[in-house]
Amino acid sequence: MIIAVAGVAGTLGGALLTQRGSERAKRLEIELVRDHEEVRENRSLRRTCYVELNRDARQFTTALNRHLHVMRERGVEEADSDALEGAKNAHRDRYSEAQMIAPEEVLRRASVVNQALNKVYGQVKRLELGAPEPGETMETAA
């Protein structure tokens, strides 16, 4: 009788252990898939952020150059200032987003670009107002 009970218990215990092992393996597999998806989504999010940051930095640069040309050729109108402000604001917003997403190495490089663009923006606005700092000219801003 004891041998029969031990045999049945062993059979049921073996099935239970096999089921637990299978459930554990399935949980690990699901966790690995989730981790892989998260890595892929983060990579995609960063890539989109980098593309948009680059695009907005280029558009800000173009707007600054266009503004300088307008200042040389004719007086600046409200629409010209609005276009420059729009490009500046778009770049600022994208840079702020990058600060939340990008790793330190990317932020260091983006910061250099951001500071340079803001420096030129300040020069352009001072030139526009007729109050440039010493050494600031249309050529130095360009």
Side-chain angles (χ1 to χ4, degrees), residues 10 12 22 27 34 38 46 56-57 69 75 92 109 116 122 131:
L12 292 176
S22 175
R27 268 196 313 264
R34 283 184 187 154
E38 186 176 325
R46 283 194 318 267
D56 287 343
H69 288 295
R92 181 203 59 222
R109 294 171 188 243

Side-chain angles (χ1 to χ4, degrees), residues 14-38:
L16 182 62
L17 288 176
T18 301
Q19 182 182 0
R20 281 190 156 173
S22 175
E23 287 175 358
R24 181 171 176 241
K26 187 69 168 174
R27 268 196 313 264
L28 286 173
E29 181 182 344
I30 290 170
E31 197 174 300
L32 286 172
V33 168
R34 283 184 187 154
D35 289 347
H36 180 71
E37 276 296 311
E38 186 176 325

Side-chain angles (χ1 to χ4, degrees), residues 81-101:
S81 292
D82 289 347
L84 179 59
E85 290 300 314
K88 176 183 170 284
N89 291 340
H91 178 262
R92 181 203 59 222
D93 292 347
R94 197 65 59 211
Y95 181 72
S96 296
E97 181 181 325
Q99 288 178 310
M100 301 299 290
I101 296 172

Side-chain angles (χ1 to χ4, degrees), residues 101-118:
I101 296 172
E104 191 62 35
E105 176 64 24
V106 173
L107 283 179
R108 268 184 273 155
R109 294 171 188 243
S111 177
V112 170
V113 173
N114 185 56
Q115 290 172 9
L117 287 170
N118 284 318

